[in-house]
Amino acid sequence: MALASRTHRASRGLLPDQRAELMLGALVCAVLLFVLLLVVFVFKEAWPSFDHNGFGWFGPGGNPDQQVQEIYTSANLLRRPVYTFHAWPIIWGTLLTTLGAVTLSFVSALFVSVFVVEFAPEAIKRILEPVVRLLASVPSVIFGLLGVLILVPFIGNHVITDGNRRSVAYIVSLSGYSLLAGVLILSLMIAPLMIAVFSDGLRAVPRGWLEGSLGLGINRWRTFWKIGVRTARPALVAGTVLATARALGETVMLAMVTGGVSFAPNPADGLIFFVEPTRPLAATILQTAEELTSEPMRHTIFAMAAVLLFSAAMLSLAGWAAKQPMKRYGVRA
Amino acid sequence: MARRTKAILGGLMLLAVLIAGPASAQAATVFGSGSSAMQPYFEVLAAAYKKVDPSTKLVYTANNGNAGAKDVQDGKSAFAFQTRPPLPSDSGLSYSKLFLDGLCVAVNPGNVLNNLKISQVRDVFLGNVTEWQALGSNLRSPISAFGRNSTAGLYTFFQSAVLGGLTQATNVTQLDKDGEVAVALSRNPAGIGYVGLANSGPGSGVKRLKLEGQPCQASAIKTLKYPLSRYGWIVLPASKPNKAATRFGDWIRTSYAAGKIIAKAGAVPAFNAKHPPKKKAKKK
């Protein structure tokens, strides 16, 4: 192939298909270059913030909301720029919402997709699949509105008691805008994505493997669990990675329902922990982006963006690494 | 083929005329941004202004007052609406008063509380008082305080007028928009929050409190007796402001028609003409 193309090029210019090949190659290179530039730009903009705070950037210390105000007013009033920023409550909030939602939706999505692929009657299957796909494409702001109007007041008025409120009244307000609201809606948003990928993986399990097991007299449930789900593990990993990435980057909905306070929910508070407010990274970027014109604030915002970008990259890498040992047995996903 | 080419050419020319037409009539779209508490006023005023000057199209993005002022500094917006007086950081901007507005402290309609002192409001939003009982309400539950995040012009105003420059406590739930605070209060029996006049009126599902005995209403705001009375400002670049935006600002500030609309929308006209003589500008 390579030899042939070389002789052609030598004799009479490029053939149309070779031209297309070159164009596509150039396009791919452009995309790669774009990603590279993006990463370089974000990290360059983020550097002053990391430089001033060192590893303390990721640690606890003070109230980030107050720090944000000090950072951007320092530039407004032509004083020396302030960079002090300790993002732990925000990072902790991101971890909690993401892990909570992924765990919750992984379990439910796994059962739903097993049901859809193997056990559901044809009629239900025909309705369920398009509905799930539709659900996966609902814009997040709609979920945010539902959260603000229904779920948040419900949690505030029926889940949280006055006793709960009183126990932490001097530190945070338990108003329903909470970690729990964020996690519940976020799971609703990412579960359809997981279901779609999981079911594709489960459907790709070779029929013969399942039939072999059934032929040995093993019941349907056990067969599907031990062979179907195991074989589809790479698809489970792929779906989880995709869904986690969406959860990590979810912004508008979380900004609307998690309470907007950079507070680190404390597991030592017992069950109240779940209804404490928080604010993840992406929502913090959204709410502080209005101060982008202030230079130290811009660097701080880009530092948060860099952390998000880095987490997303690590996530893909972890997904790839997790799939490696499964590759030999499983179906591809 | 020829016919198709002609059709395409014709279409292109039509498009060019459509695009160039309004521009040559020196009336492009005028972009503004700023306070979300001012947005309800902007909407009714802009709708009425269409009849006054049909060639000007006004577009407003509510991205909070301080951000709007920066947009004007950067030339991204032709004008901004702001809810606080100018600060040293507002270099290169000219602020003009438009009309009077009040920042209301509001609660859920189920709350029997009617009046608060400024010092009590300060205590609530600094986290010193957390029980409704301490404020004299019938509620036996802790207070759920709602406020705005630190980039909002309303917050800056509240911070200087009530909190004495201190940061609001962590136990205040911070929301993104003025209307979101009103929604939260309407659904939370133990809620208290600060909301602009327009978003706390009848039908908003919240109850305004008197402050220092003064109601959050036009009559008390007009005379500046209400403690949280404040002007709504239009922010323009100090040099070479957009003419259409300047005209829009002047119309809001001075015209009789705008005064009526402002009063109807819930704010208080301050400088608008009081005639046509038969009907006085709404005083209420």
Side-chain angles (χ1 to χ4, degrees), chain B residues 71-87:
Chain B
D71 287 344
V72 177
Q73 270 175 332
D74 299 344
K76 280 189 275 180
S77 290
F79 68 94
F81 284 142
Q82 179 60 293
T83 52
R84 58 154 178 80
L87 288 178

Side-chain angles (χ1 to χ4, degrees), chain A residues 63 65-66 69 72 76 149 153 157 162 165-166 169-173 175 177 259-261 287 290-291 293, chain B residues 63-64 70 74 89 127-128 130-131 140-142 146 149-151 159 167 170-175 184 187 189:
Chain A
N63 173 1
D65 282 334
Q66 206 169 343
Q69 204 183 2
Y72 77 76
N76 285 357
L149 291 178
N157 299 334
D162 282 352
R165 268 189 259 272
R166 225 163 251 139
Y170 285 98
I171 306 158
V172 283
S173 154
S175 50
Y177 291 85
V261 190
Q287 289 187 341
E290 283 144 15
E291 299 297 339
T293 40
Chain B
N63 60 350
N64 293 350
K70 290 217 188 73
D74 299 344
S89 60
N128 300 330
T130 61
E131 286 289 326
R140 291 287 170 267
S141 53
F146 292 91
N149 54 41
S150 60
T151 53
Q159 195 181 20
T167 309
T170 50
N171 66 2
V172 178
T173 304
Q174 300 176 21
L175 301 176
R187 275 148 210 273

Side-chain angles (χ1 to χ4, degrees), chain A residues 278-294:
Chain A
T278 182
R279 190 181 58 205
L281 272 169
T284 308
I285 294 178
L286 176 76
Q287 289 187 341
T288 52
E290 283 144 15
E291 299 297 339
L292 211 51
T293 40
S294 135

Side-chain angles (χ1 to χ4, degrees), chain A residues 177 250-260 279-280 282-284 286-287, chain B residues 174-176 180:
Chain A
Y177 291 85
E250 177 46 44
T251 312
V252 176
M253 185 281 290
L254 288 176
M256 288 168 90
V257 305
T258 53
R279 190 181 58 205
T284 308
L286 176 76
Q287 289 187 341
Chain B
Q174 300 176 21
L175 301 176
D176 219 17
E180 280 183 49

Side-chain angles (χ1 to χ4, degrees), chain A residues 68-315:
Chain A
V68 160
Q69 204 183 2
E70 270 154 27
I71 290 170
Y72 77 76
T73 46
S74 76
N76 285 357
L77 302 176
L78 307 173
R79 282 188 278 139
R80 273 192 70 214
V82 174
Y83 279 98
T84 311
F85 190 61
H86 300 291
W88 173 247
I90 302 172
I91 296 173
W92 177 235
T94 315
L95 284 177
L96 286 177
T97 43
T98 308
L99 288 182
V102 168
T103 315
L104 201 61
S105 56
F106 180 84
V107 176
S108 40
L110 185 57
F111 282 106
V112 170
S113 43
V114 165
F115 174 75
V116 167
V117 171
E118 190 60 21
F119 297 101
E122 202 53 42
I124 294 184
K125 218 184 264 188
R126 264 205 303 276
I127 300 169
L128 217 53
E129 283 180 11
V131 167
V132 165
R133 273 169 216 279
L134 179 75
L135 208 57
S137 59
V138 174
S140 67
V141 66
I142 294 179
F143 283 109
L145 286 176
L146 289 180
V148 166
L149 291 178
I150 299 166
L151 186 64
V152 166
F154 179 81
I155 295 177
N157 299 334
H158 301 288
V159 177
I160 305 168
T161 64
D162 282 352
N164 294 153
R165 268 189 259 272
R166 225 163 251 139
S167 65
V168 288
Y170 285 98
I171 306 158
V172 283
S173 154
L174 303 181
S175 50
Y177 291 85
S178 57
L179 177 64
L180 180 68
V183 166
L184 285 181
I185 303 179
L186 196 54
S187 340
L188 200 64
M189 281 170 57
I190 63 176
L193 200 67
M194 283 187 173
I195 295 173
V197 179
F198 289 3
S199 347
D200 284 345
L202 289 172
R203 231 173 267 127
V205 174
R207 229 36 236 177
W209 297 11
L210 298 173
E211 276 158 16
S213 166
L214 290 171
L216 289 173
I218 294 160
N219 71 29
R220 244 173 114 196
W221 173 252
R222 210 172 155 75
T223 294
F224 207 72
W225 205 244
K226 289 283 176 193
I227 297 184
V229 174
R230 278 196 163 212
T231 314
R233 276 182 309 178
L236 301 191
V237 174
T240 311
V241 168
L242 262 181
T244 315
R246 182 163 186 204
L248 204 59
E250 177 46 44
T251 312
V252 176
M253 185 281 290
L254 288 176
M256 288 168 90
V257 305
T258 53
V261 190
S262 54
F263 173 78
N266 186 357
D269 291 347
L271 284 177
I272 298 175
F273 164 73
F274 292 103
V275 289
E276 283 175 345
T278 182
R279 190 181 58 205
L281 272 169
T284 308
I285 294 178
L286 176 76
Q287 289 187 341
T288 52
E290 283 144 15
E291 299 297 339
L292 211 51
T293 40
S294 135
E295 196 176 312
M297 195 60 225
R298 191 179 76 226
H299 295 314
T300 311
I301 291 172
F302 269 97
M304 290 188 266
V307 173
L308 265 186
L309 200 61
F310 181 76
S311 329
M314 285 303 109
L315 187 68

